[in-house]
Amino acid sequence: MRNKQTKRGIFMSVTVTINAKPHEVADEHLEMSLLRYLREVLGLTGAKCGCDRGQCGSCNVLIDGECRRSCLFKMKKLDGKDILTVEGLADGDKLHPIQESFIVEGVMQCGFCTPGQIMAVAGLLRKTLTPTREEIDKAFKGVLCRCGSYPRVIKAIHRAAAIMRGDEWTDEKRVFDDVIGSSYPMVDAVGKVTGSLKYVDDYYVPGMLCGKVVWSEEPSAQLLGIDASEALAVPGVVRVITHADCPDLYYGPLAMDAPVLCGGRIRSRAEPLALVLAETQEIANAAAKLVKIDYEILPAVFSPHEALSPGAPSVTTDYAKPGIPIAGHSAPESDGNVTLKLHIGKGDVEKAFAEAAVIIDEEYSSQRIEHGYIEPECSITVPLENGRYVNYSNSQAAFGARDNCARALECDPEKVNFCQIQVGGSFGGKGDHLLRMLSCVGTRVTGRAVRVTLSREDSLRYHNKRHPFEMHEKLAVAADGRILGLQNYLLGDGGAYTYFSTRIMPQAVCYSSGPYVIPNFDSTGVVAFTNNVSSGAMRGYGSPWKAP
Ligand code: FES
């Protein structure tokens, strides 16, 4: 590293080689992470940002031949380093054997982690072309894939290593004369292995604002006020958006009962209270910490049992409603914490118990489960000159997404072009429209393109989880092993808002008899509101015992 004299003073001079090209790093980029430099300065978006703290491996690159997390290195520390990204692996149009092997072995699913996996393999095969299982496991420690299959990765590694050693290699026949039974590469396989396939956060719109959500720090409270004056004084902050900018805007997959920005009753720590819009993500992040929230803290309930107990505080009552005083209120009797109650049955279950040789009477529980997709949520809204808009986001429901964007933009749905971008994993967790509605409100209010990307922490905090269930199961069995009857009671923690509860519990009671023919059946399902994060769709939803 050399010092260099400029008109503004003495600065370090940092030069790196990236994909065989030398780059002198500009002074204003010295504090950037290598990941951000690659993505935002050079437009090399093959390295992905899954966690930004060295845990997921999606940002892997080679630094002097070693596989490294690019989010952990500042540019000022990389002087003289030789960096290889996934974009530099192929030889023109000819894929590297590792990339080709990933396609042949069908490694990818959503593909978000694929560039990081490929660079981990590249680092491994630089050290040895005959890797042992232990060496492969070590190289893949912390290279997380949520939806793919590691055994296929191992096959791809052995194939690539053999080809790189110059050994003979014959691929298993996967395409047969009959189309049915054949395996073909994914249509976007080349984009996934070269890093050229774009996910939402890989899009860059010149002049766009970056958003940071301010969430509630209280699980149950009345919002008394938001003071954004300090945040607004930060150079580069353009606007702090609150409920006043979208007072009638609610979202939710089935019942629209969740405010896009809360202005009254706070029901969980996943409640969005404000959106800071700034010229860069760093400015927005820093300014969001300066937004002051004034709360009146209210009693909270964190389990469905508590929520349904006599005298439990109401999760849903808004104390700011006319006629209900904010200060000095007393908690109301709990009559509003039931999200849904339903019952199905057939035959005579009491008769079945009377005739049973064996009765099994047990209680079970399942836990809240996080989807764990590697790509965090992101939405970009762009205003066009003709009064129309484009929204780019990762959704599971394109038409619902367009209609909700239109509500947030206060325009006709015909004026919104919703672009469904490659989804980097979802498993049911990207089924609501909060992020795109926030970016649309930002665009409506500022007239500029707005991107809202969640950090890993914010993603974990906000998006709905699998319902935790408590189950009381009573089974009547005959002496010859036949199931005569089943009676059960399912209690689900629905969290703060309705979300998918009104669809999931009906499925749960129906699925609760499993694959068996049971002549006498009696099932009751209840979902309760609590002050936890909302529960929603997650992999095979409604089957309470399903493993993730
Ligand atoms: Fe690995 Fe989706 S294919 S996270």
Side-chain angles (χ1 to χ4, degrees):
M1 190 184 304
R2 292 162 284 112
N3 288 340
K4 65 177 179 185
Q5 177 79 48
T6 71
K7 283 182 190 162
R8 290 183 292 137
I10 295 173
F11 291 93
M12 294 179 292
S13 170
V14 171
T15 304
V16 292
T17 302
I18 297 177
N19 298 337
K21 286 198 192 122
H23 293 264
E24 181 157 339
V25 182
D27 303 331
E28 66 265 31
H29 299 143
L30 291 174
E31 290 296 327
M32 273 184 152
S33 68
L34 171 59
L35 175 62
R36 284 192 51 223
Y37 185 77
L38 292 171
R39 294 176 57 80
E40 296 172 26
V41 179
L42 302 185
L44 296 173
T45 54
K48 307 296 180 198
C49 184
C51 69
D52 211 19
R53 55 185 55 221
Q55 295 294 312
C56 73
S58 295
C59 65
N60 281 345
V61 297
L62 300 193
I63 301 179
D64 288 346
E66 294 281 340
C67 180
R68 296 282 184 248
R69 313 280 196 255
S70 60
C71 66
L72 295 179
F73 292 84
K74 288 207 167 176
M75 292 310 295
K76 67 181 180 187
K77 300 278 186 192
L78 293 174
D79 189 44
K81 298 291 183 189
D82 183 33
I83 294 154
L84 181 70
T85 75
V86 73
E87 289 92 343
L89 209 54
D91 181 6
D93 287 343
K94 185 168 167 34
L95 295 179
H96 188 283
I98 301 169
Q99 295 168 313
E100 191 196 46
S101 299
F102 266 55
I103 295 177
V104 170
E105 296 299 343
V107 172
M108 301 81 68
Q109 288 203 26
C110 83
F112 192 79
C113 69
T114 302
Q117 287 194 333
I118 283 177
M119 296 316 289
V121 179
L124 171 68
L125 298 188
R126 284 201 174 203
K127 293 194 175 115
T128 172
L129 288 177
T130 52
T132 62
R133 178 59 196 262
E134 288 68 34
E135 287 166 329
I136 292 172
D137 287 351
K138 193 169 167 213
F140 263 71
K141 205 161 172 232
V143 184
L144 303 180
C145 176
R146 179 64 178 93
C147 44
S149 131
Y150 287 104
R152 289 180 186 226
V153 176
I154 293 170
K155 280 178 153 183
I157 292 172
H158 289 310
R159 182 187 187 277
I163 292 168
M164 289 166 75
R165 286 194 305 266
D167 289 356
E168 284 283 314
W169 182 271
T170 307
D171 284 322
E172 205 180 302
K173 189 174 179 196
R174 292 194 176 85
V175 177
F176 305 95
D177 294 340
D178 192 348
V179 171
I180 295 172
S182 296
S183 297
Y184 297 92
M186 297 174 151
V187 289
D188 50 9
V190 172
K192 285 175 176 167
V193 298
T194 57
S196 62
L197 180 68
K198 284 192 183 300
Y199 297 78
V200 186
D201 196 47
D202 298 338
Y203 285 81
Y204 179 78
V205 180
M208 75 181 173
L209 295 170
C210 301
K212 176 72 176 174
V213 180
V214 178
W215 309 95
S216 173
E217 290 303 326
E218 298 298 333
S220 179
Q222 186 68 34
L223 177 64
L224 300 181
I226 297 176
D227 179 358
S229 54
E230 272 189 56
L232 285 165
V234 175
V237 171
V238 171
R239 183 84 188 233
V240 177
I241 289 171
T242 66
H243 182 73
D245 295 295
C246 49
D248 301 318
L249 201 56
Y250 288 75
Y251 75 102
L254 300 177
M256 291 206 191
D257 56 352
V260 168
L261 287 169
C262 179
R265 176 65 199 269
I266 291 166
R267 297 198 200 176
S268 82
R269 292 182 79 243
E271 198 85 67
L273 304 182
L275 176 68
V276 178
L277 295 177
E279 301 291 351
T280 69
Q281 192 65 56
E282 288 64 40
I283 297 172
N285 293 352
K289 293 185 184 141
L290 302 175
V291 176
K292 293 194 177 64
I293 309 294
D294 192 10
Y295 305 95
E296 183 198 359
I297 296 171
L298 298 172
V301 287
F302 297 109
S303 79
H305 281 300
E306 270 183 85
L308 299 179
S309 301
S314 167
V315 173
T316 58
T317 301
D318 189 335
Y319 295 95
K321 278 181 184 164
I324 301 176
I326 291 175
H329 64 81
S330 56
E333 286 294 308
S334 174
D335 59 0
N337 289 339
V338 175
T339 320
L340 175 77
K341 180 170 184 176
L342 75 162
H343 172 257
I344 61 168
K346 66 175 181 178
D348 184 345
V349 78
E350 293 305 331
K351 185 164 170 282
F353 288 123
E355 292 171 357
V358 176
I359 294 175
I360 299 165
D361 190 347
E362 295 284 356
E363 300 207 342
Y364 305 89
S365 63
S366 65
Q367 73 278 37
R368 180 174 289 107
I369 299 175
E370 154 68 26
H371 303 73
Y373 32 76
I374 310 293
E375 179 207 28
E377 298 81 348
C378 180
S379 170
I380 301 172
T381 306
V382 185
L384 304 178
E385 282 173 1
N386 54 6
R388 304 176 79 88
Y389 301 91
V390 183
N391 178 268
Y392 303 92
S393 49
N394 38 23
S395 161
Q396 290 184 262
F399 288 101
R402 184 194 62 169
D403 292 350
N404 281 288
C405 286
R407 290 200 302 118
L409 287 160
E410 296 180 357
C411 72
D412 192 291
E414 298 293 317
K415 296 206 160 160
V416 180
N417 180 15
F418 173 72
C419 293
Q420 169 68 56
I421 305 301
Q422 174 71 22
V423 177
S426 174
F427 321 116
K430 288 176 179 162
D432 77 48
H433 303 295
L434 176 64
L435 263 276
R436 58 195 129 262
M437 293 174 84
L438 283 172
S439 71
C440 286
V441 173
T443 292
R444 172 170 60 75
V445 169
T446 64
R448 291 177 61 176
V450 169
R451 181 189 73 187
V452 184
T453 305
L454 293 190
S455 64
R456 174 57 53 187
E457 291 84 350
D458 286 352
S459 173
L460 289 169
R461 176 187 201 130
Y462 135 76
H463 75 250
N464 63 93
K465 318 293 178 205
R466 188 182 195 85
H467 286 72
F469 275 96
E470 292 181 26
M471 296 161 275
H472 184 176
E473 305 281 346
K474 194 172 168 191
L475 193 68
V477 184
D480 61 5
R482 282 176 300 114
I483 300 174
L484 299 177
L486 172 67
Q487 184 174 47
N488 62 23
Y489 175 73
L490 310 177
L491 179 59
D493 181 345
Y497 291 100
T498 303
Y499 257 71
F500 279 102
S501 289
T502 49
R503 187 175 294 163
I504 284 166
M505 186 51 89
Q507 297 206 175
V509 293
C510 292
Y511 294 166
S512 69
S513 59
Y516 306 104
V517 176
I518 301 179
N520 305 293
F521 178 58
D522 180 284
S523 180
T524 301
V526 178
V527 183
F529 287 117
T530 66
N531 294 108
N532 294 316
V533 62
S534 298
S535 301
M538 203 274 181
R539 281 196 160 180
Y541 64 61
S543 55
W545 49 80
K546 187 176 185 298

